[in-house]
Amino acid sequence: MIDLRDLRENPETYRASQRARGADETLVDRIIEADESRRADLGAFESLRAEQKTVSKSVGKASPEERPAVLAHAKELAEQVKAAESRAKESEASLDELAHQFQNLIVGAPSGGEEDFVVLRHEGPEIRDFAAEGFEPADHLALGEGLDIIDTKRGAKVSGARFYYLKGWGMRLELALMTAALDKAAEHGFTPMITPTLVSPQIMSGTGFLGLHGDEIYYLPTDDLYLTGTSEVALAGYHSDEILELSDGPKRYMGWSTCYRREAGAAGKDTRGVIRVHQFNKAEMFAYVRPEDAEAEHQRLLAMEEEMLHLVNLPYRVIDTAAGDLGSSAARKFDCEAWLPTQERYMEVTSTSNCTTYQARRLSIREKRDGKTSPVATLNGTLATTRWIVALLENNQQADGSVVVPEGLRPYMGGLEVIEPVA
């Protein structure tokens, strides 16, 4: 949720944010109007209630002749107070509904939509020239099937489209990635956690995931619970309704969890293999920091993601995501995209978002400083996920269908250097 006082004082800043996102900037004016109505109705209620208290106190002091009139007035005021309280609650609910529709105020993100990102830099090894090496690269699924480490056919038989089995070295490759991410997080002082993958509507809504992309989320109506698409949700909810102590620095966690996404509206896009699937595993960083430290923390999370990508020796680029492609809660987001040889494009493998105080306001996560409480800032970032296997297989394949294990992962793979095709 945004800062209503700041919106009232700086409405044009919020209109500009909405324009940059391609969102409805008239929402700013509707929120201001709703806030004025709320304050007027609340003022009327409090004025009537004060009058009611005064009249109630006067009943005992009234003479027998005056008492019937005073009692009648007290009764009339009681009805007026009840009606005024109802109007104040309705106004509060209307404002709350509008405020929850507002996406986070962007901080430095480029304007525009999905294609308007800014490339900040290219990193990692040089992109391989497979033609010069004398063979055409196979895609990750063909490689995975040849190595007998990915089985999408039986995944579809058992669960439907976009499900899969990782087997043998495929399973161990994913565990290697996740364990390397765990070690990286621990090295940087993050507390590792296995998180719940089912959360309440209050927590899901509080993180901002039930807005524009609510159709991406699996919902269990019988239990009134949502399956999480990232452990960010459970980690954000971990300190909901709490006052944190951040005087010694940020609170940092890494969540290891299975994630679920409906991938609604993604028909025909990356449906082959394990690029865009309904179930996957992910190691997610999450940090609670003071608002003035959020931008520095954002760079810290990005640097950790890049350390992981250097560990597995992938060619990648870093992009500054455009405002219109940000999630509702993100004020700014950096993605790392690994090179995908068979599609001759870059594919997102990590994201890190600065959510400023947006989620903390919705989840009532505060810090007490100088005798006052105020919202903290929250940030998140990916350290590893199942999708990395796609880039690892394609970029490290050999002409005979084998795949070289990146040197940084070999200690997590029992020293294995090459995954060989199954005869």
Side-chain angles (χ1 to χ4, degrees), residues 139-160:
D139 76 3
H140 75 282
L141 182 57
L143 288 165
E145 290 176 340
L147 299 169
D148 196 26
I149 62 174
I150 300 174
D151 192 336
T152 58
K153 293 177 182 176
R154 290 186 175 90
K157 177 180 71 174
V158 171
S159 303

Side-chain angles (χ1 to χ4, degrees), residues 271-303:
T271 55
R272 178 174 165 82
V274 297
I275 296 179
R276 193 179 293 271
V277 290
H278 294 307
Q279 175 185 323
F280 56 96
N281 289 307
K282 184 159 68 128
E284 183 79 0
M285 299 177 287
F286 197 89
Y288 297 88
V289 307
R290 288 177 166 172
E292 64 268 25
D293 298 329
E295 288 192 35
E297 186 72 9
H298 201 190
Q299 291 298 324
R300 177 189 174 93
L301 299 187
L302 176 59

Side-chain angles (χ1 to χ4, degrees), residues 55-71:
V55 171
S56 296
K57 289 179 181 178
S58 70
V59 172
K61 300 177 182 178
S63 67
E65 293 80 11
E66 295 173 329
R67 187 165 296 172
V70 174
L71 287 170

Side-chain angles (χ1 to χ4, degrees), residues 87-109:
R87 286 193 298 272
K89 287 181 178 179
E90 288 175 3
S91 295
E92 180 74 35
S94 296
L95 174 61
D96 190 60
E97 181 181 354
L98 286 172
H100 273 78
Q101 293 175 24
F102 204 96
Q103 301 177 73
N104 200 0
L105 183 70
I106 64 168
V107 178

Side-chain angles (χ1 to χ4, degrees), residues 304-319:
M304 289 177 62
E305 292 176 340
E306 293 194 64
E307 287 177 22
M308 277 294 298
L309 288 167
H310 283 290
L311 179 76
V312 298
N313 201 36
L314 286 176
Y316 70 94
R317 69 182 184 185
V318 182
I319 68 167

